[in-house]
Amino acid sequence: MTDNIWRDRPTVPLLQWLARGSLKQNVLQAVRLWVCLHLLYGDRQTRLSLPDPFTYADWRDAFFSTSHPTGDEKPKDHDPDCPCAKVTAAWLWRDRLSLTQPEWNALQANRATAKQLKIQHQQLIQRLDDHGVLPPNLDQMLYQTRLFGMTRRTLAGDLHILCDMNWLQRVDEGFCRVQDWPERPVSRTDRSDTQLSAHDLGFLMQPDLAAIADNFSQQFHGQQRFFVHVDYVISEQWIDRVDQWQDQLQQVWQQPSIPPLRVTYQKAGEAEPYRVIIYPVCIYYYRRAPYLCGYGQRPGEADTVDFLNYRLDRIQDIQTLSWQSADIPDRLQHQHQTGQLPTPDDIIERMETAWGFDYYQPADTLIVRFDQEWNDRYIRNSLRHETFQPIAYDAIPHQIRQHTSGTAQRQLLKIWRDRSPDDAYYQAVIRRDDPNVKQRLRAWRPHVEVILPWDLRQTMLTELKQEQTFYD
């Protein structure tokens, strides 16, 4: 049976079973036992190389670093790469048991993985709470407690517990792996390698939505109970084209050195397509369609290298190039040679900096006004963007003076004085002329007034005048 691979995830029922009592009081021990089972019965990269039978000393030497103390005392922080240095949460990250504490620290400092860590943390809290076994000091146990930074007596005791649970057999002073595993709680995700797991949902940028999807992706008594409907404007006649580009990009990203691409693109409203050479960064679904986020030439600006989005159904052709091609722009070639090509994290960071999917456009300050009834019903305590926050009525003149001058400034200051201090005012950082932000503002009509930026306010006014002619 040791040829089988232990894939069990740390579900609450499994941890409850390993705790052999109150999981709320024995979370750390349950997680340690779960790790030990990976070390004993996991895949060949994870499984410890142990004699048969083996002693605690054999297990200790195979698991910890060579500098790990052999005495009975609790080990101090002697080696950052030793497994005893890892906090509990690091053991639960993506089932990658070989992750070191320094690597864990780097993950926490990374914006993209920090979002996934937040998702995983929220999911764990919710599941423990649903089962009524949420410890009051969970954060301390996850992020401050070294899971295997325990005494020899505690760790040897874990092996004896596995014997009591029939996961190991006692042989004289040592232990043997068992051929037949005992019955244990097995979740649906443990039975299927194709089932989405918690950390597979990191592509969902809203942590709460990822948690819901993970909790409800399974059926209940044969009925699906969770559905997601999104706007998707791709015509059926272009579905095959979108699939083709996604398959081709998947093959491109699997290569050790991601090559540049020549993309032929038909922009909406233009008669002729254009060609650009880009470095493909990622695919991003935003609002209505999937887009290829590219970094390279801009249409009509062959010497300019920057980001640009390409809606997949409007791409007419993708050709894979070589970095040795003479057509590669000099700046793009230099960034490739110096290892400075952008990553998906760069795009995520830009999108967090300002509201809008045109993350390559300049940033502007947005100030809007809502009446209190609309604010109480739909705006207050809702998440629009990280920068979308309330602003005090008295703080608005400073923003007007900072971002306008002349006639526009005088008119806006008069408008501000005419508005009620009792209304609700919000500010945000937006991408200039971003169509998605404009659509959101249009959806709030007639309950929203754009104060800044001045150009956007004039755009809204022009649209309102045009709309009025439709109904007069």
Side-chain angles (χ1 to χ4, degrees):
M1 193 75 176
T2 55
D3 288 338
N4 290 348
I5 297 176
W6 169 275
R7 290 193 178 97
D8 294 44
R9 301 189 184 279
T11 62
V12 173
L14 179 62
L15 292 176
Q16 180 75 67
W17 180 72
L18 290 169
R20 302 187 310 157
S22 172
L23 180 59
K24 185 184 291 189
Q25 310 230 345
N26 298 313
V27 169
L28 293 178
Q29 184 180 75
V31 175
R32 273 202 316 274
L33 295 176
W34 172 78
V35 173
C36 286
L37 289 171
H38 274 277
L39 300 174
L40 292 168
Y41 299 104
D43 58 47
R44 296 190 180 278
Q45 292 181 336
T46 303
R47 192 187 312 170
L48 295 180
S49 178
L50 295 168
D52 193 17
F54 65 90
T55 64
Y56 167 77
D58 294 327
W59 181 89
R60 178 199 63 210
D61 294 342
F63 180 46
F64 294 117
S65 67
T66 55
S67 62
H68 187 81
T70 58
D72 293 334
E73 71 280 0
K74 185 175 180 179
K76 297 180 180 180
D77 285 328
H78 63 94
D79 178 3
D81 291 332
C82 183
C84 76
K86 283 172 59 174
V87 295
T88 306
W91 289 102
L92 299 173
W93 174 249
R94 292 183 179 271
D95 296 343
R96 185 183 159 193
L97 299 186
S98 61
L99 187 76
T100 64
Q101 184 62 32
E103 290 173 333
W104 167 254
N105 294 337
L107 286 174
Q108 291 181 297
N110 182 283
R111 286 180 176 268
T113 50
K115 283 181 173 289
Q116 298 176 40
L117 288 170
K118 182 179 179 182
I119 294 172
Q120 186 173 350
H121 180 76
Q122 290 178 337
Q123 291 170 340
L124 179 60
I125 289 178
Q126 185 63 52
R127 287 169 179 162
L128 291 171
D129 192 40
D130 289 343
H131 286 78
V133 292
L134 178 63
N137 58 337
L138 181 64
D139 284 357
Q140 179 182 351
M141 288 191 291
L142 287 175
Y143 301 105
Q144 298 180 29
T145 303
R146 295 182 295 136
L147 186 64
F148 284 90
M150 302 294 170
T151 64
R152 178 189 184 282
R153 180 178 179 180
T154 297
L155 298 180
D158 290 341
L159 297 179
H160 288 285
I161 290 174
L162 292 177
C163 288
D164 296 338
M165 301 182 72
N166 296 320
W167 280 105
L168 289 174
Q169 287 181 342
R170 288 188 181 89
V171 178
D172 297 327
E173 298 299 322
F175 310 91
C176 274
R177 294 184 178 95
V178 295
Q179 295 299 311
D180 296 319
W181 295 354
E183 291 293 328
R184 67 194 187 281
V186 180
S187 69
R188 184 173 181 263
T189 55
D190 295 327
R191 297 191 186 101
S192 174
D193 293 336
T194 60
Q195 179 72 22
L196 283 177
S197 62
H199 42 256
D200 294 326
L201 293 165
F203 64 87
L204 293 174
M205 302 309 293
Q206 288 75 22
D208 291 345
L209 179 59
I212 293 172
D214 182 49
N215 288 333
F216 290 99
S217 58
Q218 62 180 326
Q219 294 185 351
F220 297 90
H221 302 292
Q223 295 288 329
Q224 186 66 44
R225 300 292 182 178
F226 175 65
F227 302 89
V228 176
H229 176 82
V230 297
D231 289 339
Y232 192 74
V233 298
I234 306 299
S235 171
E236 286 189 10
Q237 63 179 321
W238 304 124
I239 293 295
D240 289 342
R241 173 186 286 184
V242 171
D243 290 343
Q244 176 186 347
W245 301 146
Q246 290 182 114
D247 290 343
Q248 186 169 343
L249 288 166
Q250 186 178 30
Q251 295 175 16
V252 165
W253 285 320
Q254 288 176 346
Q255 298 183 35
S257 176
I258 299 174
L261 306 176
R262 178 178 279 114
V263 173
T264 304
Y265 191 73
Q266 179 67 61
K267 189 175 181 179
E270 295 191 0
E272 298 295 330
Y274 61 79
R275 286 184 175 183
V276 288
I277 295 175
I278 65 167
Y279 173 76
V281 182
C282 63
I283 292 177
Y284 211 117
Y285 176 87
Y286 197 86
R287 302 294 184 191
R288 301 171 299 278
Y291 294 81
L292 168 61
C293 301
Y295 180 80
Q297 292 176 326
R298 301 288 293 268
E301 307 173 33
D303 296 331
T304 301
V305 173
D306 202 350
F307 286 101
L308 198 64
N309 296 327
Y310 302 88
R311 215 172 87 175
L312 291 189
D313 60 315
R314 293 177 181 162
I315 296 177
Q316 295 193 344
D317 186 54
I318 295 179
Q319 296 179 12
T320 301
L321 303 179
S322 167
W323 284 111
Q324 281 69 47
S325 171
D327 295 335
I328 308 300
D330 291 341
R331 182 180 168 188
L332 190 63
Q333 184 69 264
H334 175 73
Q335 289 183 252
H336 163 65
Q337 293 173 351
T338 57
Q340 296 179 339
L341 289 170
T343 69
D345 291 349
D346 296 321
I347 294 176
I348 293 173
E349 182 175 356
R350 283 170 172 246
M351 291 187 65
E352 289 177 346
T353 302
W355 186 11
F357 189 43
D358 289 349
Y359 46 84
Y360 35 80
Q361 296 287 17
D364 287 328
T365 295
L366 173 75
I367 295 180
V368 292
R369 179 187 66 85
F370 300 96
D371 61 78
Q372 277 296 356
E373 182 180 359
W374 187 262
N375 178 58
D376 291 341
R377 286 186 176 183
Y378 302 107
I379 307 300
R380 190 194 307 274
N381 298 326
S382 64
L383 178 62
R384 306 295 171 173
H385 186 262
E386 288 87 341
T387 65
F388 189 85
Q389 300 292 336
I391 181 175
Y393 174 80
D394 293 336
I396 295 176
H398 172 73
Q399 295 290 338
I400 293 175
R401 294 187 179 97
Q402 182 178 355
H403 297 288
T404 60
S405 61
T407 302
Q409 184 180 106
R410 290 191 294 272
Q411 290 187 20
L412 286 177
L413 289 173
K414 181 181 184 304
I415 290 168
W416 166 76
R417 286 189 290 268
D418 291 341
R419 300 298 180 258
S420 171
D422 296 329
D423 286 341
Y425 299 87
Y426 289 82
Q427 67 177 345
V429 182
I430 63 172
R431 293 297 175 187
R432 186 172 300 169
D433 295 325
D434 186 90
N436 299 285
V437 174
K438 289 181 180 179
Q439 286 196 12
R440 179 68 269 172
L441 294 172
R442 292 175 186 127
W444 280 333
R445 289 177 184 165
H447 304 282
V448 65
E449 177 186 11
V450 175
I451 299 175
L452 284 176
W454 174 259
D455 290 344
L456 181 58
R457 179 182 175 88
Q458 299 311 300
T459 298
M460 296 291 109
L461 178 60
T462 300
E463 291 179 357
L464 287 168
K465 288 180 178 179
Q466 183 178 358
E467 288 175 18
Q468 186 176 2
T469 64
F470 299 153
Y471 302 99
D472 283 342

